[in-house]
Amino acid sequence: MAINIPRGTQDILPGVVEEWQYVEQKMREITKRYNYSEIRTPIFEQTELFQRGVGETTDIVQKEMYTFEDRGGRSMTLRPEGTAPTVRSYVENKMYGDPNQPTKLFYIGQMFRYERPQAGRWRQFVQFGVEALGSNDPAIDAEVIALAMDIYRELGLKHLKLVINSLGDLESRKEHRNALIDHFKPRIGEFCSDCQSRLEKNPMRILDCKKDRDHELMKSAPSILDYLNEQSQAFFEKVKMYLTDIGVEFEIDSRLVRGLDYYNHTAFEIMSNAEGFGAITTLMGGGRYNGLTEEIGGPATPGIGFALSIERLLLALKAEGITLPIEKGLDCYLVALGDAAKDKAATLLYELRKAGFTADKDYQDRKLKAQFKAADRLNVKYVAVLGEDELAKNVINVKDMATSTQEEVQLSNFIEYLLERS
């Protein structure tokens, strides 16, 4: 019986993986510019981390987590998102004691959610995210948003829309919470079971419901922006001012609440407006999460971050017809004819690679014509032919595949010859 790949996962094969590598390298370049350092956390954590950090009323915790019991009887979960593990590491490793604050981190890693697979949504997927911990300055909110926009722009995307909102502080959210309960309670029976259970626990999450998003009460629901206290309003105005000053265009959407319980103050999403991108237009999302470190046992520490799906980023590039400038091909391909030449080619190949060239040779004992065809398929710059006659004269024939010119080169000068032309 054939063993197939699990549903909702994918093999990223040669020819495609180079696109991933290019995108990831671009992310590393940009985060370095912004002074963010990479962090790598375990692929699984204690289940309680996500229950407390992400929130028990979220779809992730209630429906989507891959949770298992290990041999010690402990409940473990494959990480569904990257913020809670990053903050856990921040607390456990006492990064808050570092004199260089805020602590600015990024991650690239696999996440797992049990969802119905569709375009741009996988059960195993890769997220890139940044977290800035230790600053209440609204300027860092603008910095994090600008970093996200830079990634998309520098990869060539143009059909982008940035949407922002303020969720306010605890006082503002409490007032808004009460208004939402009063608004939905008389007709909550018309909503899905998830919304009904969230009414008292976290009514703001009702606004994020996909099933009931077209219900008339959704359109008339109280706006959080009408309940921001003076401090929250001033904070939001500063974020908008900084974004405007650096030329980052945005729209305000008072219905944007994000799907995780730990968000407060600034919330944002970047969407693709590209034709043919698909029904799920959101490319990434993030926001401020003051209070999360306390929730998982650390000192009071403000934080802000975002996460984006690399799979959706690649789909957006495809939708806009963007081809990444990926270098393909090899510098040199060795064609060896005869046993003695094959033995010498094995040594030459090692020397080529040691000198920094990308190089390969035939390992299937093919004829001359077949070896040249293999070199063509590999998009090789130079083909070097070594046969018994060349070996006897201590030379090698080097063909420039772009110009079809060929030159006989002394074997002792072969590496230097290629270095001069590289």
Side-chain angles (χ1 to χ4, degrees), residues 47-163:
T47 302
E48 186 183 8
L49 171 66
F50 302 110
Q51 291 173 334
R52 292 171 61 182
V54 178
E56 295 204 37
T57 63
T58 61
D59 284 346
I60 292 175
V61 172
Q62 290 183 342
K63 303 175 183 179
E64 299 170 2
M65 295 201 311
Y66 279 92
T67 298
F68 61 96
E69 189 175 283
D70 70 9
R71 293 187 178 185
R74 295 170 288 259
S75 180
M76 298 290 174
T77 295
L78 297 178
R79 62 186 181 198
E81 59 93 46
T83 298
T86 300
V87 175
R88 189 271 309 149
S89 181
Y90 171 85
V91 172
E92 187 171 349
N93 293 288
K94 297 182 173 60
M95 287 190 238
Y96 47 81
D98 192 312
N100 295 320
Q101 295 295 331
T103 300
K104 299 162 71 171
L105 305 167
F106 80 90
Y107 60 84
I108 303 175
Q110 295 172 332
M111 309 294 163
F112 303 84
R113 295 185 193 177
Y114 191 86
E115 298 185 275
R116 183 174 64 84
Q118 53 185 296
R121 178 168 286 173
W122 300 86
R123 289 177 176 173
Q124 176 180 311
F125 56 98
V126 180
Q127 269 190 354
F128 164 83
V130 306
E131 315 292 349
L133 293 141
S135 174
N136 257 323
D137 190 338
I140 205 162
D141 296 42
E143 173 183 289
V144 166
I145 294 170
L147 193 161
M149 290 296 291
D150 278 354
I151 288 172
Y152 292 121
R153 285 171 172 167
E154 292 192 27
L155 287 169
L157 290 174
K158 294 181 173 60
H159 299 280
L160 300 170
K161 181 173 77 170
L162 168 64
V163 177

Side-chain angles (χ1 to χ4, degrees), residues 332-333 335 372 375 380-385 397-401:
C332 186
Y333 190 87
V335 172
F372 264 92
V380 174
K381 294 179 183 176
Y382 296 96
V383 174
V385 181
N397 280 304
V398 182
K399 182 176 182 179
D400 185 325
M401 299 299 280

